[in-house]
PDB file of all heavy atoms in Angstrom:
ATOM      1  N   SER N 103      79.428 120.295 -63.553  1.00  0.00           N
ATOM      2  CA  SER N 103      80.309 120.703 -64.638  1.00  0.00           C
ATOM      3  C   SER N 103      79.582 120.907 -65.884  1.00  0.00           C
ATOM      4  O   SER N 103      80.150 121.530 -66.804  1.00  0.00           O
ATOM      5  CB  SER N 103      81.384 119.549 -64.815  1.00  0.00           C
ATOM      6  OG  SER N 103      80.690 118.430 -65.392  1.00  0.00           O
ATOM      7  N   GLY N 104      78.345 120.529 -65.994  1.00  0.00           N
ATOM      8  CA  GLY N 104      77.582 120.658 -67.151  1.00  0.00           C
ATOM      9  C   GLY N 104      77.759 119.493 -68.131  1.00  0.00           C
ATOM     10  O   GLY N 104      76.948 119.360 -69.066  1.00  0.00           O
ATOM     11  N   ILE N 105      78.716 118.631 -67.887  1.00  0.00           N
ATOM     12  CA  ILE N 105      78.905 117.460 -68.733  1.00  0.00           C
ATOM     13  C   ILE N 105      77.801 116.412 -68.379  1.00  0.00           C
ATOM     14  O   ILE N 105      77.782 115.931 -67.230  1.00  0.00           O
ATOM     15  CB  ILE N 105      80.299 116.917 -68.558  1.00  0.00           C
ATOM     16  CG1 ILE N 105      81.384 118.007 -68.787  1.00  0.00           C
ATOM     17  CG2 ILE N 105      80.542 115.776 -69.517  1.00  0.00           C
ATOM     18  CD1 ILE N 105      81.280 118.634 -70.181  1.00  0.00           C
ATOM     19  N   LEU N 107      74.676 117.099 -68.970  1.00  0.00           N
ATOM     20  CA  LEU N 107      73.370 117.858 -68.901  1.00  0.00           C
ATOM     21  C   LEU N 107      72.783 117.930 -70.357  1.00  0.00           C
ATOM     22  O   LEU N 107      73.558 118.122 -71.287  1.00  0.00           O
ATOM     23  CB  LEU N 107      73.679 119.297 -68.378  1.00  0.00           C
ATOM     24  CG  LEU N 107      72.494 120.111 -67.895  1.00  0.00           C
ATOM     25  CD1 LEU N 107      71.693 119.345 -66.853  1.00  0.00           C
ATOM     26  CD2 LEU N 107      72.935 121.477 -67.367  1.00  0.00           C
ATOM     27  N   THR N 108      71.541 117.913 -70.413  1.00  0.00           N
ATOM     28  CA  THR N 108      70.774 118.062 -71.626  1.00  0.00           C
ATOM     29  C   THR N 108      69.579 118.947 -71.401  1.00  0.00           C
ATOM     30  O   THR N 108      69.158 119.184 -70.263  1.00  0.00           O
ATOM     31  CB  THR N 108      70.322 116.726 -72.190  1.00  0.00           C
ATOM     32  OG1 THR N 108      69.402 116.158 -71.287  1.00  0.00           O
ATOM     33  CG2 THR N 108      71.449 115.782 -72.452  1.00  0.00           C
ATOM     34  N   GLU N 109      68.962 119.434 -72.508  1.00  0.00           N
ATOM     35  CA  GLU N 109      67.751 120.243 -72.352  1.00  0.00           C
ATOM     36  C   GLU N 109      66.622 119.395 -71.768  1.00  0.00           C
ATOM     37  O   GLU N 109      65.917 119.899 -70.898  1.00  0.00           O
ATOM     38  CB  GLU N 109      67.304 120.802 -73.666  1.00  0.00           C
ATOM     39  CG  GLU N 109      66.127 121.764 -73.506  1.00  0.00           C
ATOM     40  CD  GLU N 109      65.716 122.476 -74.821  1.00  0.00           C
ATOM     41  OE1 GLU N 109      66.195 122.050 -75.912  1.00  0.00           O
ATOM     42  OE2 GLU N 109      64.921 123.390 -74.787  1.00  0.00           O
ATOM     43  N   ILE N 112      67.247 119.362 -68.053  1.00  0.00           N
ATOM     44  CA  ILE N 112      66.998 120.644 -67.439  1.00  0.00           C
ATOM     45  C   ILE N 112      65.457 120.832 -67.230  1.00  0.00           C
ATOM     46  O   ILE N 112      65.004 121.287 -66.215  1.00  0.00           O
ATOM     47  CB  ILE N 112      67.490 121.796 -68.352  1.00  0.00           C
ATOM     48  CG1 ILE N 112      69.025 121.802 -68.360  1.00  0.00           C
ATOM     49  CG2 ILE N 112      67.032 123.170 -67.779  1.00  0.00           C
ATOM     50  CD1 ILE N 112      69.651 122.795 -69.279  1.00  0.00           C
ATOM     51  N   ILE N 125      77.181 126.097 -62.974  1.00  0.00           N
ATOM     52  CA  ILE N 125      78.032 125.382 -63.885  1.00  0.00           C
ATOM     53  C   ILE N 125      79.453 125.899 -63.730  1.00  0.00           C
ATOM     54  O   ILE N 125      79.697 127.138 -63.716  1.00  0.00           O
ATOM     55  CB  ILE N 125      77.495 125.620 -65.377  1.00  0.00           C
ATOM     56  CG1 ILE N 125      76.120 124.980 -65.537  1.00  0.00           C
ATOM     57  CG2 ILE N 125      78.489 125.055 -66.320  1.00  0.00           C
ATOM     58  CD1 ILE N 125      75.561 125.088 -66.951  1.00  0.00           C
ATOM     59  N   PHE N 127      83.472 126.177 -65.125  1.00  0.00           N
ATOM     60  CA  PHE N 127      84.308 126.190 -66.252  1.00  0.00           C
ATOM     61  C   PHE N 127      85.791 126.036 -65.767  1.00  0.00           C
ATOM     62  O   PHE N 127      86.097 126.457 -64.614  1.00  0.00           O
ATOM     63  CB  PHE N 127      84.211 127.422 -67.021  1.00  0.00           C
ATOM     64  CG  PHE N 127      83.048 127.541 -67.947  1.00  0.00           C
ATOM     65  CD1 PHE N 127      81.729 127.795 -67.440  1.00  0.00           C
ATOM     66  CD2 PHE N 127      83.229 127.371 -69.344  1.00  0.00           C
ATOM     67  CE1 PHE N 127      80.667 127.850 -68.359  1.00  0.00           C
ATOM     68  CE2 PHE N 127      82.108 127.447 -70.215  1.00  0.00           C
ATOM     69  CZ  PHE N 127      80.822 127.685 -69.721  1.00  0.00           C
ATOM     70  N   LYS N 143      85.655 117.779 -75.742  1.00  0.00           N
ATOM     71  CA  LYS N 143      84.350 118.416 -75.935  1.00  0.00           C
ATOM     72  C   LYS N 143      83.777 119.206 -74.744  1.00  0.00           C
ATOM     73  O   LYS N 143      82.659 119.752 -74.844  1.00  0.00           O
ATOM     74  CB  LYS N 143      83.330 117.306 -76.291  1.00  0.00           C
ATOM     75  CG  LYS N 143      83.712 116.473 -77.566  1.00  0.00           C
ATOM     76  CD  LYS N 143      82.685 115.383 -77.859  1.00  0.00           C
ATOM     77  CE  LYS N 143      83.042 114.575 -79.067  1.00  0.00           C
ATOM     78  NZ  LYS N 143      82.047 113.522 -79.355  1.00  0.00           N
ATOM     79  N   ALA N 144      84.535 119.317 -73.689  1.00  0.00           N
ATOM     80  CA  ALA N 144      83.978 119.907 -72.455  1.00  0.00           C
ATOM     81  C   ALA N 144      83.581 121.310 -72.642  1.00  0.00           C
ATOM     82  O   ALA N 144      82.479 121.738 -72.220  1.00  0.00           O
ATOM     83  CB  ALA N 144      84.951 119.746 -71.299  1.00  0.00           C
ATOM     84  N   PHE N 145      84.401 122.182 -73.253  1.00  0.00           N
ATOM     85  CA  PHE N 145      84.144 123.551 -73.321  1.00  0.00           C
ATOM     86  C   PHE N 145      82.826 123.878 -74.107  1.00  0.00           C
ATOM     87  O   PHE N 145      82.021 124.618 -73.614  1.00  0.00           O
ATOM     88  CB  PHE N 145      85.352 124.251 -73.915  1.00  0.00           C
ATOM     89  CG  PHE N 145      85.294 125.789 -73.909  1.00  0.00           C
ATOM     90  CD1 PHE N 145      85.421 126.484 -72.672  1.00  0.00           C
ATOM     91  CD2 PHE N 145      85.042 126.537 -75.101  1.00  0.00           C
ATOM     92  CE1 PHE N 145      85.331 127.893 -72.635  1.00  0.00           C
ATOM     93  CE2 PHE N 145      85.030 127.889 -74.997  1.00  0.00           C
ATOM     94  CZ  PHE N 145      85.119 128.624 -73.786  1.00  0.00           C
ATOM     95  N   ASP N 146      82.767 123.277 -75.305  1.00  0.00           N
ATOM     96  CA  ASP N 146      81.616 123.546 -76.104  1.00  0.00           C
ATOM     97  C   ASP N 146      80.302 123.041 -75.353  1.00  0.00           C
ATOM     98  O   ASP N 146      79.228 123.694 -75.476  1.00  0.00           O
ATOM     99  CB  ASP N 146      81.690 122.838 -77.434  1.00  0.00           C
ATOM    100  CG  ASP N 146      82.764 123.450 -78.310  1.00  0.00           C
ATOM    101  OD1 ASP N 146      83.079 124.643 -78.086  1.00  0.00           O
ATOM    102  OD2 ASP N 146      83.280 122.772 -79.280  1.00  0.00           O
ATOM    103  N   GLN N 147      80.376 121.924 -74.699  1.00  0.00           N
ATOM    104  CA  GLN N 147      79.280 121.404 -73.988  1.00  0.00           C
ATOM    105  C   GLN N 147      78.855 122.400 -72.838  1.00  0.00           C
ATOM    106  O   GLN N 147      77.664 122.650 -72.642  1.00  0.00           O
ATOM    107  CB  GLN N 147      79.585 120.044 -73.339  1.00  0.00           C
ATOM    108  CG  GLN N 147      78.526 119.441 -72.336  1.00  0.00           C
ATOM    109  CD  GLN N 147      77.301 118.949 -72.923  1.00  0.00           C
ATOM    110  OE1 GLN N 147      77.109 119.000 -74.128  1.00  0.00           O
ATOM    111  NE2 GLN N 147      76.372 118.598 -72.078  1.00  0.00           N
ATOM    112  N   LYS N 148      79.828 122.890 -72.158  1.00  0.00           N
ATOM    113  CA  LYS N 148      79.551 123.845 -71.055  1.00  0.00           C
ATOM    114  C   LYS N 148      78.929 125.134 -71.621  1.00  0.00           C
ATOM    115  O   LYS N 148      77.921 125.656 -70.994  1.00  0.00           O
ATOM    116  CB  LYS N 148      80.869 124.235 -70.371  1.00  0.00           C
ATOM    117  CG  LYS N 148      81.404 123.025 -69.491  1.00  0.00           C
ATOM    118  CD  LYS N 148      82.815 123.418 -69.024  1.00  0.00           C
ATOM    119  CE  LYS N 148      83.435 122.355 -68.183  1.00  0.00           C
ATOM    120  NZ  LYS N 148      82.855 122.155 -66.842  1.00  0.00           N
ATOM    121  N   LEU N 149      79.424 125.645 -72.718  1.00  0.00           N
ATOM    122  CA  LEU N 149      78.816 126.826 -73.312  1.00  0.00           C
ATOM    123  C   LEU N 149      77.356 126.578 -73.686  1.00  0.00           C
ATOM    124  O   LEU N 149      76.489 127.453 -73.384  1.00  0.00           O
ATOM    125  CB  LEU N 149      79.573 127.244 -74.558  1.00  0.00           C
ATOM    126  CG  LEU N 149      80.959 127.880 -74.365  1.00  0.00           C
ATOM    127  CD1 LEU N 149      81.548 128.208 -75.732  1.00  0.00           C
ATOM    128  CD2 LEU N 149      80.891 129.136 -73.532  1.00  0.00           C
ATOM    129  N   GLU N 150      77.035 125.470 -74.338  1.00  0.00           N
ATOM    130  CA  GLU N 150      75.746 125.180 -74.744  1.00  0.00           C
ATOM    131  C   GLU N 150      74.808 125.048 -73.532  1.00  0.00           C
ATOM    132  O   GLU N 150      73.659 125.542 -73.539  1.00  0.00           O
ATOM    133  CB  GLU N 150      75.691 123.894 -75.562  1.00  0.00           C
ATOM    134  CG  GLU N 150      74.338 123.510 -76.094  1.00  0.00           C
ATOM    135  CD  GLU N 150      74.349 122.169 -76.840  1.00  0.00           C
ATOM    136  OE1 GLU N 150      75.447 121.546 -77.018  1.00  0.00           O
ATOM    137  OE2 GLU N 150      73.232 121.749 -77.294  1.00  0.00           O
ATOM    138  N   MET N 151      75.248 124.340 -72.514  1.00  0.00           N
ATOM    139  CA  MET N 151      74.349 124.125 -71.353  1.00  0.00           C
ATOM    140  C   MET N 151      74.239 125.358 -70.539  1.00  0.00           C
ATOM    141  O   MET N 151      73.087 125.579 -69.906  1.00  0.00           O
ATOM    142  CB  MET N 151      74.999 122.966 -70.510  1.00  0.00           C
ATOM    143  CG  MET N 151      74.796 121.637 -71.098  1.00  0.00           C
ATOM    144  SD  MET N 151      73.030 121.224 -71.545  1.00  0.00           S
ATOM    145  CE  MET N 151      73.040 121.449 -73.307  1.00  0.00           C
ATOM    146  N   ALA N 152      75.246 126.243 -70.523  1.00  0.00           N
ATOM    147  CA  ALA N 152      75.028 127.479 -69.757  1.00  0.00           C
ATOM    148  C   ALA N 152      73.923 128.325 -70.422  1.00  0.00           C
ATOM    149  O   ALA N 152      73.095 128.888 -69.719  1.00  0.00           O
ATOM    150  CB  ALA N 152      76.348 128.294 -69.737  1.00  0.00           C
ATOM    151  N   ARG N 153      73.939 128.340 -71.710  1.00  0.00           N
ATOM    152  CA  ARG N 153      72.968 129.113 -72.455  1.00  0.00           C
ATOM    153  C   ARG N 153      71.524 128.486 -72.300  1.00  0.00           C
ATOM    154  O   ARG N 153      70.511 129.186 -72.160  1.00  0.00           O
ATOM    155  CB  ARG N 153      73.267 129.194 -73.965  1.00  0.00           C
ATOM    156  CG  ARG N 153      74.533 130.011 -74.220  1.00  0.00           C
ATOM    157  CD  ARG N 153      74.762 130.156 -75.758  1.00  0.00           C
ATOM    158  NE  ARG N 153      76.052 130.849 -76.041  1.00  0.00           N
ATOM    159  CZ  ARG N 153      77.109 130.330 -76.494  1.00  0.00           C
ATOM    160  NH1 ARG N 153      77.113 129.030 -76.761  1.00  0.00           N
ATOM    161  NH2 ARG N 153      78.204 131.033 -76.723  1.00  0.00           N
ATOM    162  N   MET N 154      71.528 127.187 -72.277  1.00  0.00           N
ATOM    163  CA  MET N 154      70.240 126.453 -72.075  1.00  0.00           C
ATOM    164  C   MET N 154      69.719 126.675 -70.717  1.00  0.00           C
ATOM    165  O   MET N 154      68.514 126.837 -70.522  1.00  0.00           O
ATOM    166  CB  MET N 154      70.497 124.948 -72.306  1.00  0.00           C
ATOM    167  CG  MET N 154      69.201 124.129 -72.543  1.00  0.00           C
ATOM    168  SD  MET N 154      68.451 124.600 -74.143  1.00  0.00           S
ATOM    169  CE  MET N 154      69.649 123.971 -75.285  1.00  0.00           C
ATOM    170  N   VAL N 155      70.568 126.686 -69.705  1.00  0.00           N
ATOM    171  CA  VAL N 155      70.027 126.934 -68.327  1.00  0.00           C
ATOM    172  C   VAL N 155      69.441 128.321 -68.231  1.00  0.00           C
ATOM    173  O   VAL N 155      68.293 128.555 -67.634  1.00  0.00           O
ATOM    174  CB  VAL N 155      71.218 126.844 -67.344  1.00  0.00           C
ATOM    175  CG1 VAL N 155      70.919 127.399 -65.956  1.00  0.00           C
ATOM    176  CG2 VAL N 155      71.663 125.374 -67.125  1.00  0.00           C
ATOM    177  N   LYS N 156      70.117 129.320 -68.815  1.00  0.00           N
ATOM    178  CA  LYS N 156      69.521 130.712 -68.891  1.00  0.00           C
ATOM    179  C   LYS N 156      68.216 130.717 -69.637  1.00  0.00           C
ATOM    180  O   LYS N 156      67.185 131.319 -69.146  1.00  0.00           O
ATOM    181  CB  LYS N 156      70.565 131.583 -69.558  1.00  0.00           C
ATOM    182  CG  LYS N 156      70.158 133.051 -69.617  1.00  0.00           C
ATOM    183  CD  LYS N 156      70.563 133.815 -68.429  1.00  0.00           C
ATOM    184  CE  LYS N 156      70.317 135.216 -68.454  1.00  0.00           C
ATOM    185  NZ  LYS N 156      70.764 136.021 -67.317  1.00  0.00           N
ATOM    186  N   ALA N 157      68.081 130.010 -70.743  1.00  0.00           N
ATOM    187  CA  ALA N 157      66.900 129.987 -71.547  1.00  0.00           C
ATOM    188  C   ALA N 157      65.659 129.413 -70.807  1.00  0.00           C
ATOM    189  O   ALA N 157      64.561 129.737 -71.115  1.00  0.00           O
ATOM    190  CB  ALA N 157      67.130 129.181 -72.819  1.00  0.00           C
ATOM    191  N   HIS N 158      65.981 128.531 -69.793  1.00  0.00           N
ATOM    192  CA  HIS N 158      64.870 127.927 -69.063  1.00  0.00           C
ATOM    193  C   HIS N 158      64.569 128.661 -67.786  1.00  0.00           C
ATOM    194  O   HIS N 158      63.870 128.107 -66.871  1.00  0.00           O
ATOM    195  CB  HIS N 158      65.248 126.441 -68.812  1.00  0.00           C
ATOM    196  CG  HIS N 158      64.982 125.527 -69.966  1.00  0.00           C
ATOM    197  ND1 HIS N 158      63.792 124.909 -70.230  1.00  0.00           N
ATOM    198  CD2 HIS N 158      65.799 125.236 -71.006  1.00  0.00           C
ATOM    199  CE1 HIS N 158      63.858 124.245 -71.330  1.00  0.00           C
ATOM    200  NE2 HIS N 158      65.056 124.430 -71.792  1.00  0.00           N
ATOM    201  N   MET N 162      71.883 132.706 -64.372  1.00  0.00           N
ATOM    202  CA  MET N 162      73.105 132.188 -64.885  1.00  0.00           C
ATOM    203  C   MET N 162      74.197 132.327 -63.819  1.00  0.00           C
ATOM    204  O   MET N 162      74.704 133.424 -63.484  1.00  0.00           O
ATOM    205  CB  MET N 162      73.547 132.990 -66.131  1.00  0.00           C
ATOM    206  CG  MET N 162      74.928 132.622 -66.655  1.00  0.00           C
ATOM    207  SD  MET N 162      74.964 131.044 -67.482  1.00  0.00           S
ATOM    208  CE  MET N 162      74.146 131.520 -69.007  1.00  0.00           C
ATOM    209  N   LEU N 182      83.878 136.497 -71.251  1.00  0.00           N
ATOM    210  CA  LEU N 182      83.042 135.270 -71.549  1.00  0.00           C
ATOM    211  C   LEU N 182      81.762 135.276 -70.731  1.00  0.00           C
ATOM    212  O   LEU N 182      80.666 135.042 -71.199  1.00  0.00           O
ATOM    213  CB  LEU N 182      83.832 134.032 -71.364  1.00  0.00           C
ATOM    214  CG  LEU N 182      83.041 132.662 -71.520  1.00  0.00           C
ATOM    215  CD1 LEU N 182      82.531 132.556 -72.965  1.00  0.00           C
ATOM    216  CD2 LEU N 182      83.849 131.503 -71.170  1.00  0.00           C
ATOM    217  N   LEU N 186      77.888 135.587 -72.003  1.00  0.00           N
ATOM    218  CA  LEU N 186      76.883 134.573 -71.609  1.00  0.00           C
ATOM    219  C   LEU N 186      75.731 135.110 -70.771  1.00  0.00           C
ATOM    220  O   LEU N 186      74.839 134.412 -70.388  1.00  0.00           O
ATOM    221  CB  LEU N 186      77.586 133.410 -70.887  1.00  0.00           C
ATOM    222  CG  LEU N 186      78.458 132.475 -71.657  1.00  0.00           C
ATOM    223  CD1 LEU N 186      79.187 131.531 -70.747  1.00  0.00           C
ATOM    224  CD2 LEU N 186      77.677 131.664 -72.695  1.00  0.00           C
TER     225      LEU N 186
END
Side-chain angles (χ1 to χ4, degrees):
S103 69
I105 305 303
L107 194 59
T108 63
E109 184 173 12
I112 293 173
I125 296 180
F127 279 77
K143 300 179 180 179
F145 188 70
D146 289 341
Q147 168 75 3
K148 289 170 183 287
L149 287 179
E150 182 182 358
M151 286 305 104
R153 295 186 181 107
M154 196 66 68
V155 165
K156 182 86 171 182
H158 281 269
M162 173 76 74
L182 174 62
L186 289 171

